[in-house]
Amino acid sequence: SPLPASPPCFFPQAISGHPPSSQAMFGMPMMPGMQPMGAAAAMPAVAGAPKRKSQQEQEKEHIVFVGGLRKTTTEDKVTAHFSKFGQIDSVDIKRLPDGTSRGFAFVKYSEKESVEKVCEARASHMIDNKWVAVRPHGGTQLNEGRREESIMMKRPKKE
């Protein structure tokens, strides 16, 4: 027995205002508020216009990730060590629900230049007699920091 005829497919290009090429490219209509994906979408609206950073991205520029802390290291010890690089707004040691340290922290500075100073001195960060790793909490330096951190953590131990 033949199948019943299905209703015709409807692409509301007249409603969305997008040309048929966008429908063909994605196989579906572009709805109001949607933007095409691909190389054209990645370009800024105005050629040469700088990309504006969000409030969250700007805030991350003031934060340093500190890894490899001892479970017993306190916020006061972290503050004491890193305060020589600039004014600290906050130190947040991440903890488990039972209060045990997870071994890493975020140090937030009032100026992003302090973050640069900390990262420049990354070979000299020892807290509680343990070398700790530092890197910016995001941004373009993140991957570079991860690579250098792995090299620093492999240095031979002094006896």
Side-chain angles (χ1 to χ4, degrees):
S1 81
L3 294 172
S6 60
C9 193
F10 174 69
F11 290 106
Q13 79 183 39
I15 296 171
S16 71
H18 293 283
S21 61
S22 66
Q23 293 176 9
M25 187 164 57
F26 297 102
M28 57 186 274
M30 295 294 293
M31 302 305 287
M34 292 178 73
Q35 295 181 2
M37 296 171 51
M43 295 176 60
V46 178
K51 184 178 176 185
R52 293 185 61 165
K53 294 181 181 178
S54 71
Q55 178 74 17
Q56 189 176 16
E57 286 175 328
Q58 289 177 354
E59 209 168 281
K60 283 185 177 183
E61 290 179 346
H62 293 251
I63 300 174
V64 176
F65 169 84
V66 182
L69 294 171
R70 292 191 187 280
K71 305 291 184 190
T72 56
T73 300
T74 64
E75 281 85 352
D76 289 341
K77 289 181 181 178
V78 174
T79 301
H81 175 78
F82 287 104
S83 62
K84 59 187 161 196
F85 297 97
Q87 182 180 348
I88 294 176
D89 288 345
S90 64
V91 173
D92 183 15
I93 295 179
K94 295 300 181 180
R95 300 185 180 278
L96 296 171
D98 67 358
T100 307
S101 170
R102 292 178 62 192
F104 68 94
F106 294 100
V107 178
K108 183 176 181 183
Y109 284 96
S110 52
E111 298 175 355
K112 72 178 183 179
E113 289 77 19
S114 300
V115 173
E116 293 166 7
K117 290 178 188 175
V118 169
C119 293
E120 287 170 6
R122 65 172 28 106
S124 65
H125 298 297
M126 183 182 278
I127 302 175
D128 278 349
N129 210 24
K130 185 172 191 284
W131 291 107
V132 295
V134 297
R135 65 176 178 251
H137 180 48
T140 57
Q141 295 175 325
L142 180 61
N143 289 332
E144 178 185 324
R146 285 182 178 161
R147 183 182 58 76
E148 288 184 25
E149 173 190 317
S150 66
I151 293 168
M152 296 303 294
M153 299 307 276
K154 292 177 184 175
R155 92 181 110 183
K157 295 186 178 187
K158 296 179 182 178
E159 295 186 23

